[in-house]
């Protein structure tokens, strides 16, 4: 009987580790609550949001502030619709990751790297990889882990 239990344990333990490794955001033991988007989903959505914001800033300077707010809200809703995500789920996910600075750092690293790759492609450098990809924590090394600082240190 003990021999059978040991055999089952030897089979189940590696299987559990394998299943855990299948998902970068925690696998079957994920502590991420229901409705919270994965890091990959957040990166993809945030890249599109940053592109929309850049578009709004560069092309609609004649719009009145209230019109700009309504237009940007419409554009954000389009981004969420394109990703099949409810705005509430995005907000819930953002709140979740704001409390997990290391995960948020990973997300923004992915966003910046993707935007850098897109910029390189637009500049005609499709075959050339960006000279320097950033790594998590590169721009932010505060002495106090609870204090967020901007890249300029302010």
């Amino acid at each position: 009987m003990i021999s059978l239990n040991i055999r089952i344990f030897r089979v189940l333990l590696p299987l559990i580790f394998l299943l855990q490794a299948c998902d970068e955001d925690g696998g079957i033991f994920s502590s991420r609550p229901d409705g919270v988007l994965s890091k990959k989903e957040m990166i993809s959505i945030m890249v599109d949001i940053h592109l929309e914001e850049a578009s709004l800033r560069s092309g609609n300077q004649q719009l009145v502030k209230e019109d700009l707010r309504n237009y940007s809200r419409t554009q954000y809703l389009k981004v969420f619709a394109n990703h099949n995500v409810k705005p509430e789920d995005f907000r819930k996910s953002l709140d979740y990751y704001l409390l997990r600075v290391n995960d948020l750092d990973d997300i923004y690293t992915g966003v910046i790297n993707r935007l850098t790759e897109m910029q390189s492609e637009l500049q005609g450098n499709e075959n050339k990889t960006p000279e320097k990809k950033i790594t998590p924590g590169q721009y932010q090394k505060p002495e106090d882990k609870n204090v967020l600082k901007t890249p300029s240190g302010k």
Side-chain angles (χ1 to χ4, degrees):
M1 185 70 172
I2 293 175
S3 177
L4 180 63
N5 287 339
I6 292 174
R7 285 184 187 157
I8 291 172
F9 183 73
R10 285 183 178 171
V11 170
L12 286 180
L13 188 62
L15 183 61
I16 289 170
F17 285 120
L18 178 65
L19 291 173
Q20 175 68 18
C22 289
D23 181 13
E24 73 170 21
D25 288 325
I28 59 174
F29 300 113
S30 177
S31 63
R32 191 168 31 100
D34 288 340
V36 172
L37 304 170
S38 70
K39 289 181 190 179
K40 281 184 177 181
E41 292 170 310
M42 287 295 289
I43 290 169
S44 182
I45 292 168
M46 292 179 78
V47 164
D48 289 348
I49 286 174
H50 282 286
L51 292 173
E52 283 299 329
E53 286 180 354
S55 172
L56 289 171
R57 288 192 181 120
S58 66
N60 296 307
Q61 296 172 354
Q62 294 85 2
L63 290 176
V64 181
K65 194 173 191 175
E66 187 63 31
D67 292 337
L68 186 59
R69 186 175 300 130
N70 290 333
Y71 181 74
S72 64
R73 186 174 298 129
T74 303
Q75 295 307 104
Y76 290 155
L77 290 174
K78 286 181 184 178
V79 168
F80 297 141
N82 287 341
H83 289 274
N84 297 316
V85 170
K86 296 178 201 168
E88 307 84 48
D89 289 341
F90 178 77
R91 170 49 67 188
K92 181 179 181 179
S93 302
L94 189 57
D95 290 342
Y96 174 82
Y97 287 116
L98 283 171
L99 296 174
R100 290 152 184 83
V101 178
N102 290 336
D103 289 336
L104 188 63
D105 192 37
D106 291 344
I107 290 168
Y108 265 100
T109 298
V111 170
I112 292 169
N113 285 336
R114 179 63 188 131
L115 290 172
T116 301
E117 289 169 7
M118 294 170 83
Q119 180 181 18
S120 179
E121 290 171 9
L122 285 173
Q123 292 173 343
N125 299 328
E126 293 90 359
N127 297 329
K128 181 181 175 187
T129 56
E131 290 90 31
K132 188 176 183 183
K133 282 196 172 199
I134 66 163
T135 57
Q138 180 176 346
Y139 287 119
Q140 179 178 316
K141 296 278 186 191
E143 297 79 36
D144 181 358
K145 297 282 184 194
N146 296 324
V147 178
L148 297 177
K149 293 184 179 181
T150 61
S152 63
K154 295 180 181 179

